[in-house]
Amino acid sequence: MRVVSRHFAARQLLLTLVIAAALPAFSQTAVPSAPPRSSSRPYTGDLSIFDYPDRDKKLQIDRVMDLLGIQPGKNVADIGAGSGWFTERASKRVGPTGAVLAEDINPIAIETIGKRVISDKLTNVRTVLGQPDDPLLPPGSVNAVLLLKVYHEIAHPVDFMKKLRPALRQGAKIGIIDRNGNGANHGLDHGVVEKEMGEAGFRLSATYDFTKADGQDYFLIFEAK
């Protein structure tokens, strides 16, 4: 009986080891990774639509710049600058001792801003042709960043914002103006934005709803954790 018992115990031990070895592989494949959220196709149409006459008033852009600490001598990044509408206003606000980095992934937008720089004599503006997952801003280059109705177009926002972080100076603020939506309809719920920004290493420091005052738009300010 002792021989049979030892044989049985050995078989049980072998079976236990086989099952234990198989479990990690099973657990790794049993839980699929979450698919990326939807994003909107980056705008490539007529850039002049961003220069409608009362946009300053609707967005209260001077108040936005006040809250982001955009003042003379500061360096600002306009991410997804488009026609350069905000670039021009930030340029005038920071003055000759400050600078504006106008970033966009659309070469036509970069060309348009370049022409605006010449025609409006914006001597403190530099254009940057970025990449979908990397704004390509120089390290330690900016005190404030604004993403004006562009965050919902970023397909991999956590990666993008992590690559933006080295460009931020101490105490820099990131402003995101967007509207609630599902990602694919040119908007993204602000709760999703807060979650993604948290994963990228930023904390929400302020929330406002005065831009456009349509009940859908929001203005969020983030700082590095």
Side-chain angles (χ1 to χ4, degrees), residues 55-71 76-78 85-86 89-90 93 143-149 173-178 206-213 217-221:
R55 196 180 191 199
D56 295 76
K57 182 178 179 181
K58 284 187 174 181
L59 291 177
Q60 299 188 49
I61 202 64
D62 286 331
R63 184 180 177 188
V64 167
M65 289 193 285
D66 288 342
L67 291 169
L68 290 176
I70 297 175
Q71 53 188 287
V76 182
D78 183 5
W85 180 86
F86 174 69
R89 283 148 182 81
R93 173 70 75 99
N143 305 100
V145 178
L146 182 63
L147 291 87
L148 177 55
K149 298 297 183 75
K173 295 182 179 181
I174 299 177
I176 297 177
I177 295 177
D178 222 305
T207 303
Y208 303 94
D209 61 1
F210 61 81
T211 56
K212 292 189 73 174
D217 284 46
Y218 54 80
F219 173 35
L220 310 178
I221 297 178

Side-chain angles (χ1 to χ4, degrees), residues 76-161:
V76 182
D78 183 5
I79 302 295
S83 69
W85 180 86
F86 174 69
T87 293
E88 180 177 352
R89 283 148 182 81
S91 170
K92 293 176 179 178
R93 173 70 75 99
V94 302
T97 59
V100 180
L101 300 181
E103 185 272 354
D104 207 290
I105 64 172
N106 183 357
I108 296 177
I110 296 299
E111 180 181 351
T112 300
I113 296 170
K115 293 178 180 177
R116 189 170 195 147
V117 166
I118 295 172
S119 64
D120 295 348
K121 297 180 174 60
L122 306 177
T123 58
N124 58 356
V125 173
R126 172 187 165 189
T127 57
V128 179
L129 180 61
Q131 298 176 353
D133 292 338
D134 190 343
L136 297 178
L137 300 185
S141 57
V142 294
N143 305 100
V145 178
L146 182 63
L147 291 87
L148 177 55
K149 298 297 183 75
V150 72
Y151 187 91
H152 60 266
E153 296 180 354
I154 303 175
H156 304 285
V158 175
D159 290 341
F160 184 93
M161 299 310 296

